Amino acid sequence: QEHLAESGGGSVQTGGSLTLSCTVSEWLFTRPLLAWFRRPDPKKLREGVAAIDTRSGLITYAESAQGRFTLSKDSAKRTLNLQMNNLKPEDTGIYYCAAAQYYTAYTFMDGRYTHWGQGIQVTVSS
């Protein structure tokens, strides 16, 4: 069965670092887009953080993640990793790993992603 499973969340202080990892099933790992989203507030929509076009290797970051987060893909382990440095309280939220069954140019439109992990909590305290 296709799945994505996040790990590595937790609580850190401002300026700290965390690495999130998403274990992806074999078929999903070959889908055209893999991405991390987050929901900072239960009342708000999910927002894109970083995504990779698996066909070209092109990585796209949200403006809020630029310069602080690094997305990487480990093909041997079938994981999608998000290294987060210099974390801020506004990075707090539930982080989701996602895969798009079909390619879309709308990289951070969550409706275009067909498979989602359960989500994992990241809390950054000031």
Side-chain angles (χ1 to χ4, degrees):
Q1 188 165 353
E2 306 309 327
H3 68 269
L4 304 103
E6 302 94 342
S7 61
S11 298
V12 295
Q13 292 189 326
T14 296
S17 298
L18 279 176
T19 299
L20 303 183
S21 185
C22 177
T23 301
V24 186
S25 61
E26 186 173 1
W27 182 75
L28 284 179
F29 200 71
T30 63
R31 295 307 90 198
L33 283 173
L34 298 173
W36 283 96
F37 282 75
R38 68 186 181 191
R39 191 193 302 271
D41 186 299
K43 298 179 183 178
K44 294 183 178 180
L45 297 175
R46 283 182 291 216
E47 58 187 39
V49 178
I52 182 168
D53 181 334
T54 61
R55 306 165 306 167
S56 66
L58 177 67
I59 294 175
T60 304
Y61 293 98
E63 187 174 341
S64 60
Q66 280 280 359
R68 299 187 300 127
F69 293 5
T70 302
L71 182 69
S72 63
K73 186 165 70 74
D74 186 328
S75 297
K77 297 180 180 179
R78 288 207 316 272
T79 58
L80 183 70
N81 306 306
L82 185 68
Q83 171 71 41
M84 305 186 292
N85 297 324
N86 191 23
L87 283 162
K88 305 174 182 180
E90 51 264 43
D91 294 317
T92 293
I94 299 175
Y95 282 68
Y96 300 87
C97 181
Q101 185 171 345
Y102 305 104
Y103 177 76
T104 175
Y106 301 95
T107 308
F108 290 143
M109 185 174 288
D110 64 350
R112 298 301 180 105
Y113 287 79
T114 53
H115 295 77
W116 294 84
Q118 291 297 308
I120 194 163
Q121 179 70 43
V122 170
T123 303
V124 185
S125 58
S126 56

